[in-house]
Amino acid sequence: FTPPLPPADATREVNDRYLADWIAALRPDRLVLPSTLAERDGLAPRFAPGPRPRVAAVVYDFIPLLFPHVYRPDAPDQEWYAERLRGLTRADRLLAISEATAADARRLLGEDCPPVTNIRGAADPAHVPLPPAEFAVADWELRGRLGLAGDFLLCVGGGDGRKNMAGAVAAFARLPADVRGRLTLVFACHLEPAAVEHVVGEAHRHGVADRVRLTGFVPDVDLRTLCLLYT
């Protein structure tokens, strides 16, 4: 599908309606919308009254609604998000990636919420177990490079506030001392200097700075090994 007008806020409704007509002409039985709330410049079909396929929309989260004090979109983004939310209510079913998101959908959309099914998330195909011999080498090499010894808790986070890395530090600090003493809390992600300072400051404030490790960015091949080490 090629939209008839250049993508822009002013042309979105026209392009959405053309997309709906294009889909309807194909006469599919069902349609899955994989990212209605996730793509700012994407299109979502707006069907005219009459025959149309049954529509299921995948929902990942409702972050702008859950954290309005952190995410303050400007007026065009607010209008786009509100329209996409209304579009969800016109779907025949929502497919949530977690039970938490399913519960949020029912609560936030209220009586207009379509039936919701928790389909959960899937691991990337790259994250499959390494062969034992390959894992043994990767284990030794990665632990030495990242300075990891013994057991650890792995947090694949980020500087975005919704990742709640400060909350992870606080929760780690509340573990029983004998349990905490056997573990390291490992954050595997890229962080800007200000975010590093914040996490380190929280670790010092909770008295666990010696048990917190920031690896910085790790490529997928290292993350694959870290996840296996963690499990």
Side-chain angles (χ1 to χ4, degrees):
F1 174 76
T2 300
L5 299 175
D9 287 338
T11 61
R12 185 168 52 247
E13 181 175 355
V14 172
N15 287 336
D16 283 354
R17 293 189 183 281
Y18 266 85
L19 174 60
D21 291 344
W22 181 83
I23 292 171
L26 298 176
R27 303 182 66 182
D29 295 318
R30 292 173 175 82
L31 172 69
V32 176
L33 303 177
S35 54
T36 300
L37 290 179
E39 297 182 10
R40 179 64 175 82
D41 296 325
L43 299 179
R46 305 190 197 194
F47 291 97
R52 67 168 178 81
R54 292 182 61 80
V55 176
V58 180
V59 186
Y60 298 88
D61 57 57
F62 293 89
I63 287 171
L65 291 182
L66 296 173
F67 303 101
H69 57 292
V70 177
Y71 301 91
R72 302 178 184 276
D74 58 22
D77 283 340
Q78 289 179 2
E79 294 171 6
W80 166 81
Y81 193 76
E83 173 52 39
R84 290 304 185 239
L85 284 175
R86 288 191 289 270
L88 289 184
T89 67
R90 295 191 289 269
D92 297 289
R93 181 168 295 274
L94 301 184
L95 306 176
I97 65 161
S98 69
E99 191 56 42
T101 295
D104 287 338
R106 298 183 186 104
R107 177 172 56 86
L108 295 171
L109 299 180
E111 62 182 16
D112 293 327
C113 184
V116 186
T117 299
N118 174 19
I119 61 173
R120 301 184 292 177
D124 189 285
H127 294 291
V128 297
L130 292 166
E134 184 179 344
F135 175 70
V137 174
D139 177 3
W140 176 83
E141 191 277 331
L142 188 61
R143 282 185 181 275
R145 177 155 46 87
L146 298 181
L148 301 177
D151 296 330
F152 59 88
L153 298 177
L154 178 63
C155 180
V156 184
D160 197 317
R162 62 193 167 93
K163 299 296 184 180
N164 196 19
M165 296 177 71
V169 172
F172 179 72
R174 296 188 65 176
L175 289 173
D178 61 326
V179 175
R180 191 175 64 244
R182 299 194 302 268
L183 299 171
T184 300
L185 177 59
V186 177
F187 290 105
C189 57
H190 167 74
L191 293 175
E192 297 294 337
V196 171
E197 183 178 352
H198 177 64
V199 173
V200 171
E202 288 297 297
H204 279 287
R205 187 168 73 87
H206 288 284
V208 294
D210 61 326
R211 310 302 302 176
V212 174
R213 178 81 174 88
L214 304 177
T215 69
F217 171 79
V218 294
D220 283 349
V221 62
D222 287 348
L223 188 60
R224 180 184 181 189
T225 304
L226 280 172
C227 289
L228 291 171
L229 287 172
Y230 168 73
T231 55

